[in-house]
Amino acid sequence: MRSIRREPLTLLAGAELLLVASGFLLPLVVLVAYAFGESDYLTFDVSVTGTLDPFRELFSDVYRPVLVRSFGLAAVTVTVCALIGVPAALAISRLDERRAQVALLAVVAPAFVSFTVRVHAWSNLLGADGVIDELTGQRLLFRPGGVALGMVGTYLPLFVLPVVVALGRRDAALLDAAADLGAPRWRTTRTVVLPLARPGIITGAVLVGVLAIGEYIVPTVLGGGKVLLLGNVLNDQAAGRDQPLGGAIAVVILVVVALGAVVARLGARHAS
Amino acid sequence: MTNDSRRHFLQRSAYLALAAGSMPAILAACGDDDDPKPTNSSGSTGTTAAPVLTGTINFLNFEGWIGAGEIAAFEKQYPGAKVNSVPWVSNEDAIAKVKDRTGDLDVLLVDGTTFPQMAALEVFAELGTSVPNLANIDPAYRNNPWDPDDQFFAATDYGRTGIAYRKDLLDGVPTSFEDFFALAEANSGKVIVLDYQRSVMGSVMKYLGLPPSSTNQEDIDAVRDALIALKPHLLAISTEVGKQLAAGEAVLALGDAYDIYTAKQENDAIEWVDPTEGQVAYLEGLAVLEGPRVDLARAFVNFHLETAQYADFINTVNSAGVMPDNAAILEALRTTPILNPGSEVRSGIDFHEFLGETGEAWQTAWDAFKSA
């Protein structure tokens, strides 16, 4: 009886394994293999030779500015998301349940709109006669600052949510204890609340950072063809022109993602 | 050669074109007996089998780069035939699609810079005797270097790259690429260049007095350096040059004639300049790909080159055409110097040439400019 009931599950698991292997692992293996290959410029034929030339090309003078810009803007995006997101999450966590739900809905609501539509909305805000232009006299559209602002605007909910979740798990007695011992509010926040929020902050930072490094739509719409990020170069190369370079970019992004996951796990373990 | 800008303007002008552009085509289709008829017998080269003129052909094309009523007219002319448009993204994407999907695609729009690369893949089917409307093409656009016997390539349109500016917003009147570079510095942040490597790099080659399809590495490096020096003054490297000019975001631009002509219909303050150093241009056309629907694909190319259908195409996309005497094309399009310049300007046009392996060096230089 037991074996009969398990058989469909085994079949389902096998099918899922096959799906993952063919739909994810196989392309990943091809992608990584291409990163160590050479491409014929005219025929687009790729031969995997074990060369490191695609990585040398990626770190050459031609693409180094893109690498620096991608990691720089990702760092700025994470930092600004943290500066806005952590206080916002703290504020939400201090609200009563009903108000907190409304506030969370306000944070998440933009995510119900298509990502591309949101980015195009930002182009209106950042362009001539947009809100930013009206308030500051600065046009940020087609500039690195505009791309960073667009990424902050679109990724902020991804930062706020994990921090809110982390703070939601805190033991209220800890805050009471800090207050009973005479700790002022800022000290309670620094020494009690923020350490409790750390797993959420790390998760949010990794989520935003990983997405920002490989971002394609935001620089395409808000960068005006001038502010290229790795995602744009990857898209150009993936069209077939230089798939080994595209593979090398994908490998670099994968390594960063993996490192981010390790950091997040270590951070969460340390915090707990 | 830029899909996005074409798409953008085509979307905006679609209604106008549908109303005005297709009218001559409709009228011509109603009663112009002098027009060549579409070839109903394919006459497939070297075969005696009856041509198959039903089924669905897949047409790799710039989105909207076709007459407003053309596909419907073709499907009416050939009952049982359908045309499925596959969007073109870039030359590289087109090559990759053709390479990977031989047998899936049937007709594609291709230019002289990409044609030889695809020809090397041996994907083209001969046009043969099934496209008698090739005769409607002006001899100036036939027997091109990449297809000297007109075996595979049927020219459809061309476009040159020049300077455009807002006469109400720019302090100065550019007449040359030298003026463009000088004014770019004075109007920093309000200058836009087309996001198409061959057009922009070829124009800068002209500016520097170099052969516009040079394969000399020093020439390519010089162009790269000039572009990188220009970049801080650019608002954008975009496929929406005309749109940015019309909106007043940009006051000076390097763009394609069809795009600027279309934008000028929206904002008459936009002016077009044929630089004194001369210009570069693309010539593009249709080619049939080997596959199971080759007869229908040839019939489609022939249909596109009918004078009435061709006029619908030009009237819709606002491009310079290859049938200058086609009376069904709107007079405004036939007479505007933006699309149809005089002989003096024409003598200064260099069509893009196939670069071979050197194309990689051009691409690297372009990438360095865009990455900087």
Side-chain angles (χ1 to χ4, degrees):
Chain A
M1 187 68 183
R2 218 170 150 189
S3 63
I4 292 169
R5 287 176 69 181
R6 273 191 170 182
E7 201 169 295
L9 288 176
T10 310
L11 279 173
L12 276 175
E16 190 181 342
L17 202 64
L18 194 68
L19 197 68
V20 170
S22 60
F24 175 71
L25 289 178
L26 193 62
L28 187 67
V29 168
V30 172
L31 195 70
V32 173
Y34 274 15
F36 299 93
E38 294 171 10
S39 174
D40 185 303
Y41 176 75
L42 293 178
T43 64
F44 292 5
D45 286 335
V46 177
S47 48
V48 178
T49 59
T51 179
L52 292 174
D53 282 352
F55 292 94
R56 289 192 190 97
E57 192 180 357
L58 179 57
F59 289 95
S60 71
D61 291 345
V62 174
Y63 297 110
R64 200 181 304 124
V66 176
L67 271 172
V68 171
R69 191 180 299 124
S70 295
F71 285 101
L73 283 182
V76 168
T77 302
V78 170
T79 305
V80 177
C81 278
L83 290 173
I84 300 171
V86 172
L90 281 173
I92 290 170
S93 70
R94 284 173 182 156
L95 296 173
D96 62 60
E97 192 178 337
R98 196 172 59 85
R99 285 181 179 158
Q101 281 177 352
V102 172
L104 265 180
L105 188 66
V107 170
V108 177
F112 297 146
V113 180
S114 150
F115 186 82
T116 309
V117 171
R118 275 186 285 153
V119 176
H120 277 283
W122 271 97
S123 75
N124 292 328
L125 295 175
L126 299 170
D129 303 327
V131 174
I132 307 290
D133 186 17
E134 293 289 332
L135 290 176
T136 66
Q138 291 286 318
R139 279 193 215 173
L140 292 177
L141 190 63
F142 305 153
R143 292 182 180 162
V147 174
L149 207 51
M151 289 202 286
V152 168
T154 48
Y155 293 152
L156 192 56
L158 295 178
F159 199 103
V160 173
L161 284 179
V163 182
V164 169
V165 170
L167 289 172
R169 290 180 187 148
R170 73 169 181 231
D171 187 350
L174 288 172
L175 300 183
D176 293 340
D180 290 348
L181 292 170
R185 195 166 174 175
W186 65 267
R187 193 168 180 186
T188 305
T189 301
R190 189 171 63 83
T191 57
V192 179
V193 178
L194 283 180
L196 289 171
R198 191 156 64 186
I201 294 172
I202 291 170
T203 304
V206 170
L207 271 176
V208 171
V210 162
L211 290 171
I213 286 168
E215 181 53 52
Y216 168 73
I217 294 174
V218 175
T220 299
V221 176
L222 304 180
K226 280 195 322 177
V227 189
L228 253 58
L229 300 187
L230 279 174
N232 302 100
V233 180
L234 178 63
N235 180 67
D236 286 350
Q237 307 303 337
R241 178 153 53 87
D242 190 350
Q243 292 186 63
L245 178 60
I249 294 170
V251 166
V252 167
I253 292 175
L254 276 173
V255 168
V256 171
V257 169
L259 284 174
V262 169
V263 168
R265 192 162 179 81
L266 288 176
R269 188 178 294 171
H270 182 70
S272 64
Chain B
M1 284 301 300
T2 50
N3 184 34
D4 287 347
S5 61
R6 285 179 177 176
R7 180 170 43 213
H8 180 82
F9 282 103
L10 291 168
Q11 282 169 346
R12 277 195 300 175
S13 60
Y15 295 110
L16 184 66
L18 195 64
S22 60
M23 194 55 74
I26 294 165
L27 292 174
C30 286
D32 190 353
D33 287 334
D34 293 335
D35 290 343
K37 296 293 180 214
T39 312
N40 285 320
S41 61
S42 135
S44 303
T45 52
T47 67
T48 54
V52 180
L53 297 176
T54 55
T56 300
I57 52 170
N58 294 311
F59 179 26
L60 183 63
N61 187 28
F62 300 111
E63 197 171 342
W65 199 247
I66 193 161
E70 196 176 335
I71 289 180
F74 177 74
E75 291 172 353
K76 188 178 176 189
Q77 178 83 34
Y78 294 91
K82 293 277 177 201
V83 179
N84 175 44
S85 291
V86 179
W88 182 99
V89 177
S90 66
N91 280 338
E92 292 76 22
D93 178 65
I95 295 168
K97 277 197 171 87
V98 166
K99 181 180 165 69
D100 296 340
R101 297 174 59 187
T102 307
D104 288 343
L105 296 169
D106 303 290
V107 183
L108 84 155
L109 188 70
V110 60
D111 75 354
T113 66
T114 314
F115 184 94
Q117 254 174 292
M118 293 190 184
L121 298 172
E122 299 182 342
V123 293
F124 292 130
E126 285 193 22
L127 299 174
T129 55
S130 308
V131 188
N133 289 333
L134 273 175
N136 294 337
I137 299 172
D138 189 281
Y141 307 106
R142 295 189 60 180
N143 308 109
N144 297 292
W146 54 89
D147 185 28
D149 298 321
D150 284 349
Q151 283 180 288
F152 305 101
F153 180 83
T156 54
D157 58 279
Y158 79 98
R160 62 197 201 287
T161 306
I163 299 166
Y165 68 99
R166 282 285 298 263
K167 65 182 176 188
D168 55 335
L169 300 175
L170 184 74
D171 191 15
V173 178
T175 60
S176 63
F177 285 126
E178 191 173 353
D179 291 344
F180 173 84
F181 274 81
L183 285 166
E185 209 168 326
N187 293 274
S188 193
K190 296 177 181 174
V191 184
I192 189 165
V193 298
L194 180 65
D195 191 1
Y196 183 56
Q197 180 226 102
R198 291 301 303 265
S199 296
V200 173
M201 288 185 68
S203 297
V204 178
M205 291 261 181
K206 284 276 192 184
Y207 161 61
L208 296 173
L210 303 168
S213 291
S214 175
T215 54
N216 184 311
Q217 187 61 50
E218 284 182 10
D219 294 351
I220 297 166
D221 290 347
V223 169
R224 178 201 61 202
D225 294 344
L227 283 171
I228 289 175
L230 176 69
K231 194 173 179 185
H233 306 303
L234 296 181
L235 169 73
I237 305 162
S238 173
T239 54
E240 297 186 328
V241 172
K243 179 191 169 191
Q244 299 285 352
L245 276 174
E249 297 273 324
V251 298
L252 181 66
L254 204 59
D256 276 343
Y258 81 92
D259 182 22
I260 302 304
Y261 176 82
T262 308
K264 190 173 170 61
Q265 309 314 301
E266 189 182 324
N267 191 327
D268 197 43
I270 296 172
E271 291 292 328
W272 169 263
V273 177
D274 294 304
T276 54
E277 295 96 336
Q279 287 162 292
V280 290
Y282 61 82
L283 175 64
E284 57 194 10
L286 297 183
V288 171
L289 295 162
E290 287 285 6
R293 295 166 294 274
V294 71
D295 292 328
L296 188 60
R298 286 176 181 137
F300 179 73
V301 172
N302 193 52
F303 188 77
H304 186 67
L305 295 175
E306 268 190 51
T307 51
Q309 298 307 326
Y310 185 79
D312 183 20
F313 163 58
I314 292 296
N315 293 341
T316 302
V317 302
N318 287 344
S319 173
V322 295
M323 296 183 196
D325 299 327
N326 187 335
I329 294 173
L330 292 172
E331 189 181 355
L333 293 171
R334 276 188 285 124
T335 55
T336 173
I338 298 178
L339 299 177
N340 295 294
S343 57
E344 192 181 336
V345 170
R346 281 207 301 270
S347 67
I349 296 175
D350 283 290
F351 283 93
H352 300 313
E353 293 172 11
F354 178 53
L355 297 168
E357 294 281 356
T358 317
E360 191 168 11
W362 275 62
Q363 190 60 51
T364 302
W366 181 253
D367 286 349
F369 160 57
K370 290 195 71 178
S371 300

